[in-house]
């Protein structure tokens, strides 16, 4: 490579973005490119690491010595290529990468589900001082707790259709702001009377009922298939951490500021989330003008493209035994789930004689167990599938554990005689309860919707989740009735019986194969 080499005795140079200082260079040879050396008399550019340094001639009468020489190439060509790649947005050269926008969407969905369960479980703590203040019977408490599910039931299928029609951003945003307002209005409604409280709790259920369909709609468009299990695991873990947060902070707020403060403070957080959501979220990568082209290409190329569903083959869907296995199993599963969600603090308070603060703190433990083990079941299920185990066998194994595990630990509650062992049983019950379903990357029930009917998985989720919500409505209200006329042992016996029914139905009729195109 030919070039010019020159001897500098009185030239100064300084790198850009560094305060200019004269550096004297004596008896040193520097290689420059032709374009660099031809920018003007007495000045040239050369590479210094990854910086470009500017040579500026000093006014001096000193003599300069020029010579044509052969020299080895300097690193400037590589540095220029590196800079050009950086300007073109190519991150394959080891430069820091921008945080993926799709994971911003995932984190926002995670935080929405965290708020969802925060606002849902605060009533299970606040109901204790509220019942004492208003002299509510256990039946009344059960009706108040179940009124949430009246609204929640109405928006399961409708929420999915709405999300598919107008976009997941609008639906999830509506849901969060709607249930946040209803949460703030709860203390006011309680003072006005039971009918107002029932209506406000049902309104809250309407807002939370659209959250899951809207989230599924958004993630199906934003997250590539290779990242979908991880993203769903993170979002669902937001529900468990929301329960932890709500149960942990509610006793403190009640003790310091009174029970209405729980609803006012938790509900107001939703408005902050809503402002961020409006600014950052889009229903689809195609709608986001700030999305980098390479990430958009990755998402669109890796995601499963689905033809729009123009009509629902209801007769075909409802004629398939695996569909009814989903519906029945979801009902049996959620009966125990929602009793755990709404009545556990009361159990700690009445049976174990914990005070309000202890009831909330110990109620946190099962949800911490769920959050900590949220990805374990999915990892086990995926490992089994990779090793050649059929999907049907994997689904049956995981859901059987999800039914028989909690059934076993509920039967032990009547035999333990110490609060510590009772708390341990409830925590283990929660952990096993979730191992076969949503907390473990949809390794049981929630995965099966996509297994048997990928194109209609949203409709199937709406159907089975409607059955699950009915379990919440009847189970929560029935628990209040049972407690007024029976005991906690009777409550647990009903749950155990339903777990056993679910186990039989699931193993007899479920499948991991596609049955509806």
């Amino acid at each position: 490579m030919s070039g010019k080499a020159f001897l500098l005795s009185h030239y100064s140079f300084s790198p850009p973005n560094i305060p200019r200082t004269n550096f004297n260079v004596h008896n040193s040879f520097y290689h420059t490119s032709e374009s660099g050396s031809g920018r003007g008399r007495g000045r040239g550019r050369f590479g210094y690491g990854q910086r470009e340094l500017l040579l500026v001639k000093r006014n001096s009468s000193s003599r300069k010595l020029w010579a044509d020489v052969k020299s080895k190439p300097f690193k400037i060509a590589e540095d220029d290529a590196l800079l050009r790649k950086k300007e073109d947005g190519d991150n394959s050269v080891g430069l820091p990468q921008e945080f993926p926008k799709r994971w911003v969407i995932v984190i926002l969905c995670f935080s929405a589900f965290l708020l969802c369960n925060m606002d849902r479980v605060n009533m299970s703590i606040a109901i204790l001082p509220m019942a004492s203040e208003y002299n509510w019977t256990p039946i009344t408490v059960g009706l108040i707790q179940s009124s949430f599910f009246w609204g929640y039931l109405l928006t399961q299928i409708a929420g999915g259709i709405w999300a598919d029609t107008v976009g997941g951003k609008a639906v999830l945003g509506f849901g969060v702001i709607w249930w946040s307002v209803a949460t703030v209005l709860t203390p006011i409604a309680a003072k006005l009377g039971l009918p107002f409280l029932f209506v406000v709790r049902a309104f809250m259920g309407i807002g939370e009922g659209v959250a899951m369909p809207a989230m599924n709609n958004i993630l199906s468009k934003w997250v590539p298939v290779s990242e979908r299990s991880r993203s769903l695991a993170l979002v669902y873990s937001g529900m468990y951490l929301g329960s932890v947060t709500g149960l942990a902070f509610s006793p403190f707020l009640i003790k310091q500021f009174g029970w209405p403060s729980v609803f006012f403070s938790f509900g107001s957080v939703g408005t902050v989330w809503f402002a961020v959501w409006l600014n950052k979220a889009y229903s689809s990568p195609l709608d986001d003008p700030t999305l980098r082209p390479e990430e958009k290409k990755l998402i669109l190329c890796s995601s499963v493209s689905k033809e729009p569903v123009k009509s629902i083959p209801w007769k075909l869907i409802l004629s398939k035994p695996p569909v009814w296995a989903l519906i029945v199993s979801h009902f049996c599963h959620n009966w125990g789930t929602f009793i755990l969600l709404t009545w556990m603090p009361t159990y700690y308070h009445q049976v174990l004689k914990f005070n309000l603060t202890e009831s909330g703190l110990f109620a946190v433990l099962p949800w911490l167990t769920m959050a900590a083990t949220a990805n374990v079941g999915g990892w086990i299920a995926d490992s089994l599938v990779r090793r050649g185990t059929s999907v049907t066998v994997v689904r049956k194994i995981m859901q059987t554990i999800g039914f028989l595990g909690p059934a076993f630990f509920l039967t032990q509650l009547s035999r333990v005689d110490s609060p510590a062992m009772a708390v341990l049983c409830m925590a283990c019950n929660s952990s096993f309860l979730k191992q076969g379903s949503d907390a473990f990357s949809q390794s049981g029930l929630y995965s099966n919707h996509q297994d048997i009917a990928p194109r209609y998985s949203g409709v199937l989720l709406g159907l089975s989740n409607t059955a699950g919500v009915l379990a919440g409505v009847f189970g929560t209200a029935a628990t209040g009735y049972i407690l007024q006329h029976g005991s906690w042992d009777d409550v647990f016996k009903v749950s155990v019986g339903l777990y056993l029914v679910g186990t039989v139905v699931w193993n007899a009729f479920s499948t991991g194969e596609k049955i509806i195109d």
Side-chain angles (χ1 to χ4, degrees):
M1 175 179 177
S2 298
K4 295 286 188 180
F6 48 93
L7 179 64
L8 300 166
S9 59
H10 295 288
Y11 272 75
S12 65
F13 64 94
S14 62
N17 302 324
I18 299 179
R20 269 188 103 75
T21 308
N22 286 338
F23 296 91
N24 291 328
V25 182
H26 298 282
N27 302 325
S28 299
F29 284 91
Y30 291 85
H31 176 270
T32 63
S33 62
E34 293 182 1
S35 59
S37 60
R39 292 177 180 263
R41 185 182 181 117
R43 90 170 25 195
R45 296 180 182 270
F46 70 98
Y48 183 76
Q50 291 187 5
R51 295 180 177 273
E52 184 179 66
L53 306 182
L54 184 64
L55 297 176
V56 182
K57 182 179 179 181
R58 296 176 60 188
N59 293 328
S60 174
S61 59
S62 300
R63 299 174 63 185
K64 303 178 293 295
L65 177 64
W66 295 84
D68 289 326
V69 297
K70 296 281 186 179
S71 64
K72 294 182 179 180
F74 191 60
K75 194 180 176 182
I76 185 170
E78 298 175 10
D79 290 346
D80 285 346
L82 182 67
L83 292 173
R84 283 195 298 271
K85 287 186 176 182
K86 182 178 179 181
E87 292 171 358
D88 294 338
D90 185 355
N91 286 321
S92 63
V93 293
L95 296 174
Q97 297 186 13
E98 183 181 344
F99 191 75
K101 182 61 178 290
R102 61 189 182 277
W103 282 96
V104 173
I105 301 297
V106 171
I107 291 173
L108 286 172
C109 289
F110 161 85
S111 57
F113 273 58
L114 187 145
L115 293 175
C116 177
N117 266 33
M118 277 179 58
D119 292 341
R120 187 186 301 184
V121 304
N122 57 12
M123 177 60 84
S124 63
I125 295 292
I127 198 71
L128 298 174
M130 292 171 73
S132 177
E133 180 176 336
Y134 294 112
N135 297 316
W136 291 334
T137 65
I139 291 180
T140 302
V141 171
L143 290 174
I144 293 171
Q145 297 274 45
S146 67
S147 61
F148 165 87
F149 299 104
W150 303 347
Y152 195 70
L153 178 66
L154 297 176
T155 50
Q156 293 303 306
I157 298 176
I161 297 174
W162 188 18
D164 290 339
T165 304
V166 303
K169 175 182 178 178
V171 177
L172 186 56
F174 160 81
V176 173
I177 200 67
W178 184 275
W179 85 57
S180 297
V181 171
T183 300
V184 171
L185 293 177
T186 298
I188 300 173
K191 292 183 179 181
L192 293 176
L194 281 176
F196 295 96
L197 182 58
F198 290 150
V199 171
V200 168
R201 294 297 293 176
F203 274 17
M204 181 179 174
I206 289 175
E208 294 203 3
V210 304
M212 191 173 294
M215 179 274 295
N216 280 325
N217 175 276
I218 291 174
L219 294 191
S220 68
K221 296 178 180 178
W222 270 97
V223 180
V225 175
S226 60
E227 300 175 358
R228 193 157 293 167
S229 294
R230 285 174 286 167
S231 65
L232 284 172
L234 177 61
V235 171
Y236 280 116
S237 66
M239 298 177 65
Y240 316 136
L241 292 177
S243 298
V244 170
T245 305
L247 292 170
F249 282 95
S250 293
F252 171 78
L253 291 172
I254 292 172
K255 184 177 181 180
Q256 295 294 324
F257 308 105
W259 63 263
S261 64
V262 174
F263 301 99
F264 294 146
S265 58
F266 284 14
S268 62
V269 178
T271 60
V272 178
W273 179 93
F274 183 68
V276 178
W277 180 253
L278 288 180
N279 185 48
K280 297 293 185 181
Y282 293 88
S283 294
S284 167
L286 297 174
D287 300 332
D288 190 347
T290 64
L291 186 64
R292 292 181 295 121
E294 54 269 28
E295 185 176 5
K296 181 180 292 186
K297 181 179 179 181
L298 171 66
I299 295 171
L300 297 179
C301 291
S302 302
S303 298
V304 176
S305 59
K306 298 180 180 178
E307 297 179 6
V309 176
K310 297 180 180 179
S311 62
I312 308 297
W314 292 108
K315 185 176 180 179
L316 176 62
I317 290 174
L318 296 176
S319 67
K320 300 294 185 179
V323 172
W324 286 101
L326 267 177
I327 293 172
V328 173
S329 298
H330 210 147
F331 180 91
C332 296
H333 165 265
N334 273 28
W335 184 283
T337 299
F338 285 123
I339 289 177
L340 182 72
L341 184 70
T342 56
W343 282 100
M344 189 166 35
T346 302
Y347 170 79
Y348 286 145
H349 180 67
Q350 292 182 353
V351 178
L352 304 183
K353 306 303 180 183
F354 292 156
N355 60 36
L356 182 65
T357 301
E358 291 173 331
S359 297
L361 292 178
F362 281 109
V364 163
L365 294 179
W367 300 102
L368 278 176
T369 305
M370 296 180 201
T373 58
N375 296 297
V376 175
W379 178 83
I380 294 173
D382 289 344
S383 298
L384 290 173
V385 172
R386 284 195 302 268
R387 293 176 182 179
T389 309
S390 73
V391 176
T392 298
V393 172
V394 171
R395 298 290 181 249
K396 289 186 177 183
I397 290 175
M398 299 306 294
Q399 194 58 45
T400 299
I401 296 173
F403 280 140
L404 297 184
F408 170 77
F409 283 105
L410 284 180
T411 60
Q412 302 306 303
L413 278 173
S414 60
R415 302 181 180 183
V416 300
D417 54 3
S418 71
M421 288 301 298
V423 171
L424 179 61
C425 283
M426 292 296 279
C428 292
N429 166 66
S430 305
S431 176
F432 277 99
L433 179 66
K434 292 299 182 179
Q435 280 188 8
S437 58
D438 52 308
F440 285 74
S441 302
Q442 298 70 52
S443 56
L445 278 173
Y446 286 99
S447 294
N448 202 231
H449 303 87
Q450 300 178 19
D451 294 333
I452 65 178
R455 293 192 68 222
Y456 305 102
S457 58
V459 173
L460 288 182
L461 177 62
L463 282 173
S464 69
N465 210 31
T466 297
V469 176
L470 284 173
V473 174
F474 295 130
T476 306
T479 298
Y481 178 84
I482 293 172
L483 289 176
Q484 188 157 330
H485 297 87
S487 66
W488 279 99
D489 286 344
D490 299 322
V491 173
F492 298 144
K493 287 177 182 177
V494 173
S495 296
V496 170
L498 288 173
Y499 286 144
L500 296 177
V501 170
T503 302
V504 173
V505 171
W506 183 257
N507 283 280
F509 299 106
S510 68
T511 180
E513 307 299 325
K514 184 167 68 172
I515 61 174
I516 302 175
D517 290 324

